[in-house]
Amino acid sequence: MSEAHVCKKILVADDSPTMRSLLCATIAAIGDYEVIEAVNGFEALRILPREKVDMVITDVNMPDINGLELVRFIRSNLQYKNLPLLIVSTEGSERDRQKGLSLGADDYLVKPFDPDKLRAFIQKHLH
Amino acid sequence: MANERASKEFLAEAEEIIEKLHLDLVALGDCADGGECDPELLNGIFRGAHSLKGISGMFGFDDIAELAHHLENLLDSLRMGKIALNAPVVEILFGGLEMLSRLVGGKVDNERFTVDLAPLFSRIDEILKDDDAEGEDVWGALQLDPEIRKALTEYEEHRLLENLKKKRNILRVNALFPLHSFDVDLSGVHAAIKGRAEVISTLPSASSEPDKIAFQLLVATSETADSIQSLLKGDSLDVEDLLHEKAACIVPAEIEAPIEKEAAFAANDAIENSSLRSISQTVRVDIEKLDYLMNIVGELVLSKSAIADFADRLKAEGDSERSRDLQKATRTLERRLYELQKGVMEVRMVPVSQLFDKLNRIVRRISSEHGKKVEIDIRGAETELDKLIMERLSDPLVHIIRNAIDHGIESSAERLAAGKPEKGTISLWAAQKGNNVAIEVRDDGRGIDPEQVRRKAVERGLVSDGIDLSRQDIFDLIFSPGFSTRDEVSDLSGRGVGMDVVKSNIAELSGMVEMDSRVGQGTSITITLPITLAIIKALIVRSRTKTYAIPISSVLETLMVHTSKVRTIERREVIDLRQNTLPLVHLSKVFDLPAPSAPPDSFFVAVVGLAEKRMGIVVDELLGQQDVVIKSLCASLSFVKGIAGAADLGNNKTILVIDVGGLMSEALRGETALHV
C-alpha cells in the first residue's frame, strides 16, 4: 500500500467476529481496500460521519439496531444517497430480501455468501 | 475456503455461542415451568442459533448449519408464538444443543466428524407441523409510517402485533442525542422504562444538527404516554401515542379496554404478592446496574480531587483556616468514598468456582475427545474476582486448557514409558495476592524446551541469533504475534497458536500472563489480574503525540474550529459559541508539549462544563469514546494540577485522565466564570 494511493474504505457491520474476519479476508483477496469493522449497528452509526466510507456491508440481525434500520438510516440521509449498500444476511426469505431492497440496499446476499458475488458487487460499485 | 486458522476461530466462536445457549436454555427451562418468559431471552437463544447457522455455513460445516437451521426454525416458531413453550419442546432444544456441542467438539479433531441428525429433525418437524398461521390484521389501528414498518424485522413486527393483541399502548419516543454519547443515552432510556415498557425497535434517523443523531424508539406499554414521559427526563425526549393520538376524544370505544386492564393488573398483583413471600435474602442484579454504580463511584473520585484542589487553592490564597476545615472534610469524604468503592466492588465479586466448574466440563470433554486420561485438580475455587473480569477470562483460559490437553499431556503409553502416572493432571489454582488474583493452569505433560523456542523465534525473525536471553525472556516469545504460523502443526507451534491473542485478552483486563516449563515435567501458565476494574466512560483525545482521557460526564459537546474563528480577549483565546464567549485552554500548553512544525488551520474543542462554568479544551484530534479503567484510588490522588489519575486504555497503554474541575479552576482563576 503506497502512501500516494488512497484506498477505498468499506465499512463492515456484523456482530459475529468470525463473519467479520471472513468478510475482511474475502475483501482483502478481492483488492486493496481499507476495511473498517463495526461490531454492531451503534458502532456503524458512529463510524459513518467520522470516516468517509465508500461502501457499507451489513448484517441484518444485530443486537442493538438491526441492519434494515441501518439501511433506512443511511438512505434517509442525503449525504449517503449514493453510498453502495450491501446486505449480507442469514435471512433468506424473499420477504426480507424485498424489504432490504425496497429500503434502498443495492443488493442482498444470503449467508453463506458466494465470494464471487461479493467480488462482483465490490467491483461494480468501487471502480 | 476454510483455512485452519479461520476454522479454529470459527470453532472458538461456535463453542462460545453453545456455552451461552446452554445457560440461556437452563433459564428458559425454568421460566417455561413457571409460565411466561421474557421475550428477550427467547430471542437471544434464537439469535445464537441464527449466528451459528450463518458462520457454520460459511465454513462448509453443512451438518452444523442444518442442525442450527432446524433449531432456528423451532425457536422462530416459539418466539413468534406459533407453538407453545412446554417441557417436551425444551427437551428437544436441549437435545439439539447437545448434538451441536458434540458436532463442534468433534470437528476440532476431524472436520469430517458427524452424527446422525435425522431422528432429531423428524421430532422438530413433527412439532412444527402444528403451528398455525398469523392471525388478524391490526396494523390499521397503528399510525406507523410504512417506511418504518419496512425496517422492522419479522420478529419486531411480531412483538408489535403481540402487544397490540394484548391491548397495550404503542408509543413512539423521539430522542435527539449527541453523536459521541448516544449509546449511553439510549441505555439510559432503556433503564428508565425497564419493567414498565418494552422497547420493540430502535430506529436511528438523521438530524439537522451535525453532532447529533435522532432516534425513534417503538415502545409497548400498559401505561399512558404521559406516565412514560414522566419517567424520561430531559428535553431531548418526547413521547407520542401511535394508537390514540387522533382517537383520544372518542370515549365509547375506550370503555372496554381499561376494565380489562384493571383485571389484568389485579391478576398481576396477586402473582406479585405470592412471589413476594418467597423472596430470599439474596437479590440477583444485572451486571450493567453494577457497572453504572461503579461509574458513578469513579466519577465521584474525580469530583473529590476537584474539592481537594479547591482546598489547596484556599490555602495558597492565605485562607488557612477554611482550607484546614475543607481539607478535613475532604479526608472524611475520601475515606467514605473508599468504603463506597470497596462496597460496590465487593458486590461485583463472584467466586472463581463459577468459571472453574465450566472449565472442568471442558477439560472432561476435550480429553475424552482426544482419548487422553486427564484428571483435574482445582484449588482456591473460593477466591473472588470481579464478575466482568471473570467473564472475559473464560475464553483465554479455555484456549490455554485446550492447548495443554492437545499438546502438553502425552498419551497414556507415552506417560507410562516415561515413568509418569498413566493419568495426566491439569491443575487449576487460584489465589489472592494483595490487590491481585493469580490463576495458574499447570499440566504435568511433556513440557517445552526453551532452546527449541529460541531457535523457532530466530527462524521467525522475532529475535536475532546470538542475543543473550533469560529463560523468562524466551518463554515470553511464545506470546509474540507471529511466533507460530498456521501452515504447520507441530507440538511446539501448536502451543503458540493464539497465545498472542491470549496475551492481548489478558492485557485488556490490565493483567499479565507468564509461562514456565520444564521438559518432561510440564508447563504452567500464570495469569495475574487486578481484583476489580474501576471504569469510567471517557472521551479519548490526542494533543500532539500524547493521548488523554476526558471523563465523558463533563463533556457537553465537541466542536471543530477553524483557527480564524479564535479571538483574543485580555490575552486569552476565546471563540464565540451561540452568543457567548468560550475561553479556550490548549492541552498542549497545560502539559508543555512541543509545538508542531506547521500549525494546523483547524482543531478540535471539547466543551466541558461543571456547574455553570464552561470551557473549551483544545486538542488535535478526537479519538473516540471509551470505557477506561482508572488505576486504583491511590493513584488518582496525585496532586499534579489538571490530572485526576491514570487510566488503562486496554491495550496496555496507560494514559492520563484530565481533571476537568482542576483544569478549569486553574485556567479560569481570577476570571468571572462564564455563564452559558
Side-chain angles (χ1 to χ4, degrees), chain B residues 118-323:
Chain B
L120 181 71
F121 288 174
S122 62
R123 285 182 70 192
I124 293 178
D125 293 341
E126 188 63 27
I127 290 184
L128 289 180
K129 238 178 30 201
D130 302 338
D131 68 352
D132 49 342
E134 198 67 49
E136 76 230 79
D137 182 38
V138 262
W139 287 104
L142 201 62
Q143 294 152 20
L144 194 62
D145 181 352
E147 277 295 301
I148 290 185
R149 190 180 156 188
K150 258 194 251 165
L152 301 180
T153 60
E154 221 171 304
Y155 174 65
E156 287 165 343
E157 277 188 6
H158 164 72
R159 290 306 312 159
L160 205 53
L161 287 174
E162 262 316 277
N163 280 296
L164 281 170
K165 279 187 206 155
K166 290 190 177 150
K167 303 237 186 298
R168 292 195 181 125
N169 267 349
I170 305 296
L171 310 177
R172 180 168 61 202
V173 179
N174 299 310
L176 186 65
F177 292 130
L179 207 48
H180 66 77
S181 67
F182 68 82
D183 49 352
V184 188
D185 298 325
L186 276 175
S187 52
V189 173
H190 281 247
I193 61 179
K194 196 172 182 176
R196 312 265 299 258
E198 174 188 347
V199 176
I200 292 170
S201 179
T202 304
L203 297 122
S205 57
S207 141
S208 50
E209 294 178 56
D211 294 336
K212 300 212 165 157
I213 182 164
F215 285 93
Q216 300 181 5
L217 282 81
L218 287 185
V219 165
T221 178
S222 319
E223 304 184 31
T224 63
D226 286 344
S227 66
I228 295 300
Q229 175 85 65
S230 70
L231 296 174
L232 300 168
K233 293 176 187 72
D235 45 10
S236 58
L237 292 159
D238 81 285
V239 180
E240 259 177 79
D241 192 324
L242 294 180
L243 282 176
H244 307 99
E245 200 84 317
K246 285 175 190 154
C249 53
I250 310 172
V251 181
E254 292 279 309
I255 288 176
E256 225 174 329
I259 296 172
E260 255 177 57
K261 261 190 225 164
E262 264 166 41
F265 280 137
N268 272 343
D269 282 351
I271 293 166
E272 268 169 28
N273 282 341
S274 66
S275 62
L276 262 180
R277 272 175 234 123
S278 61
I279 283 179
S280 69
Q281 292 286 35
T282 53
V283 219
R284 287 170 67 108
V285 183
D286 190 336
I287 186 87
E288 278 179 18
K289 285 190 187 165
L290 294 180
D291 275 347
Y292 176 67
L293 285 181
M294 195 68 143
N295 285 344
I296 293 185
V297 172
E299 281 155 17
L300 274 179
V301 170
L302 299 180
S303 313
K304 192 227 65 200
S305 44
I307 299 177
D309 180 66
F310 182 60
D312 282 357
R313 241 174 50 215
L314 275 181
K315 195 176 176 187
E317 282 164 12
D319 196 343
S320 57
E321 193 182 336
R322 282 198 214 185
S323 161

Side-chain angles (χ1 to χ4, degrees), chain A residues 15 18 21 66 69 95 99, chain B residues 9 13 47 152 157 201:
Chain A
D15 57 328
T18 310
S21 59
N66 74 50
E69 288 160 351
R95 191 157 158 255
K99 271 189 161 188
Chain B
E9 247 175 57
E13 187 181 350
R47 285 176 41 78
L152 301 180
E157 277 188 6
S201 179

Side-chain angles (χ1 to χ4, degrees), chain B residues 351-560:
Chain B
V352 290
S353 58
Q354 285 187 4
L355 182 58
F356 281 7
D357 288 347
K358 185 176 131 191
L359 294 173
N360 193 350
R361 284 209 307 277
I362 289 173
V363 168
R364 268 185 285 158
R365 205 185 71 219
I366 301 176
S367 53
S368 76
E369 281 163 20
H370 287 252
K372 289 180 178 170
K373 291 185 176 161
V374 180
E375 238 170 35
I376 184 155
D377 169 29
I378 289 180
R379 289 185 209 175
E382 71 288 347
T383 311
E384 292 193 320
L385 198 58
D386 186 295
K387 172 83 176 162
L388 197 74
I389 297 185
M390 185 107 84
E391 273 175 8
R392 290 171 48 187
L393 195 57
S394 157
D395 286 353
L397 276 178
V398 168
H399 196 93
I400 290 170
I401 287 179
R402 183 176 287 284
N403 270 343
I405 299 174
D406 260 11
H407 309 291
I409 306 270
E410 315 90 328
S411 67
S412 299
E414 213 178 312
R415 290 182 66 87
L416 288 172
K420 289 178 169 181
E422 188 189 351
K423 271 189 179 178
T425 302
I426 301 264
S427 309
L428 273 175
W429 295 344
Q432 186 172 343
K433 291 178 178 167
N435 270 332
N436 291 308
V437 164
I439 293 180
E440 185 179 345
V441 181
R442 177 186 287 272
D443 67 62
D444 65 346
R446 54 173 72 93
I448 301 172
D449 177 7
E451 182 47 32
Q452 232 179 319
V453 173
R454 201 188 60 82
R455 273 208 306 275
K456 170 141 262 168
V458 172
E459 246 171 65
R460 298 265 174 262
L462 297 171
V463 285
S464 31
D465 207 358
I467 282 188
D468 198 19
L469 293 170
S470 69
R471 262 178 80 77
Q472 197 51 57
D473 291 341
I474 291 176
F475 284 121
D476 276 347
L477 287 171
I478 292 183
F479 297 102
S480 336
F483 176 76
S484 65
T485 57
R486 66 186 99 160
D487 51 50
E488 65 183 298
V489 185
S490 69
D491 289 330
L492 195 58
S493 75
R495 291 226 76 142
V497 169
M499 290 310 272
D500 55 331
V501 179
V502 168
K503 185 177 179 173
S504 65
N505 285 348
I506 302 295
E508 274 171 27
L509 301 171
S510 310
M512 270 169 37
V513 53
E514 286 166 320
M515 179 190 271
D516 198 13
S517 187
R518 303 267 168 195
V519 175
Q521 292 177 20
T523 304
S524 83
I525 292 180
T526 308
I527 296 172
T528 312
L529 293 156
I531 289 179
T532 194
L533 301 171
I535 308 150
I536 62 159
K537 273 225 179 299
L539 179 69
I540 312 293
V541 299
R542 181 180 64 79
S543 177
R544 306 293 180 255
T545 56
K546 300 260 197 254
T547 312
Y548 297 94
I550 305 176
I552 212 91
S553 52
S554 41
V555 177
L556 304 171
E557 58 180 312
T558 54
L559 315 165
M560 196 172 124

